[in-house]
Amino acid sequence: MDKQILKDTIKQVFSNGKGILAMDESNPTCNKRFAANGIPETEEMRRKYRQLIVSTPGLNESIGGAILSDETIRQKTDDGQPMADLLTHAGIIPGIKVDMSTTSLSGFPNEKITEGLDGLRERLAEYKKVGARFAKWRAVITIGNDIPTRACIKANVNALTMYATLCQEADIVPIVEPEILMDGNHSMQRCYEVTEEVLKTLFYHLYEFKVDFEGMILKPNMVIAGKESEERNSVDAVAQATANCLLASVPATVPAIAFLSGGQSPQKACEHLNAINKNFKDQLPWIVAFSFARAIQQPCLDAWKGRDSNIEFAQKLLYHRAKLSTVARLGTYNSKMEDLR
Ligand code: 5MM
């Protein structure tokens, strides 16, 4: 492991207020989002959509790293350029999703375990050759009656840890993503408790397995009530709960936290990120940025609808959401900026 390489990659990804664009939807997830927009669920349409994203003019003003899927990193643009090269030439570091999605955790109803450790060392070497300098693994934790169980938390944290050690061995920065889902009617307090338990367990395991905290990025959820909860929390309350939870659980030597958006509206995700940075800027030891998928992409995808004639406007929307995410990272966002001029 070359610690300097890992540090340099992280520094470059988050330079000048930039953050990460997650565009690594697995084919089933991407197809689901295409179906909702009447877009044909084909490999060629996924290629066209990812080409639209990586060729968006000015994307590099706000995005320092983009997470690709296995399919996308092997695809080329119309003029034969690998997608990863196009990003690299624009100063956006390509990353790769290396988990192989979730499956049910045997013996634990309604809980999931993420797969993908088999052959990971070899896959990382291959991805490195085509330009990937960071990788991502997402664990999924569900809140419900009597879940998550300790067994589920431990199993997922173990997998995240083994993934992180293999990435660092290959000089690839691991983005460690333990996502506590917003699905359900749980309170913000319950989300706080589960997030704290998962993060504390995670960092204990990472420490045991000698993961270099300075050479990793944490991708957590914000602390927020479940989607079906009647509880309504102010933006400042979400920011407070999230900042408190992270301060209680994440070592100060971790250089950067990049939130997932988790199904929040793009505006809400920006408001929350902004409030965390604005209200707590003197207390947070880390860069607090974004690694949004839906909160950056959704308006763009909805506008594109699979038609060439919509590409220009869709790219404008993508550029705008990426820009607003950066402004929120700097704590200088306000809702008037939502108007697309
Ligand atoms: C882009 O979606 C990523 C891959 O998920 P699937 O394997 O389920 O398709 C996902 O890990 C994403 O990076 C995170 O969930 C963050 O996305 P959001 O939309 O929550 O910001």
Side-chain angles (χ1 to χ4, degrees), residues 22-30 33 50 67 97 99-102 136-138 140 177 179 219 259-264 291-297:
M23 48 179 290
D24 59 315
E25 296 84 1
S26 57
N27 292 347
T29 302
C30 191
R33 294 186 186 153
R50 267 64 183 256
I67 315 170
K97 163 207 181 75
D99 67 69
M100 309 276 263
S101 217
T102 57
K136 193 201 79 178
W137 180 291
R138 172 172 172 254
V140 176
E177 181 181 4
E179 176 172 6
K219 177 165 173 169
F259 286 109
L260 58 93
S261 54
Q264 301 178 66
S291 174
F292 296 156
R294 285 164 286 180
I296 292 180
Q297 289 185 49

Side-chain angles (χ1 to χ4, degrees), residues 233-249:
N233 297 112
S234 67
V235 168
D236 284 344
V238 170
Q240 172 98 55
T242 305
N244 287 351
C245 186
L246 294 174
L247 284 166
S249 324

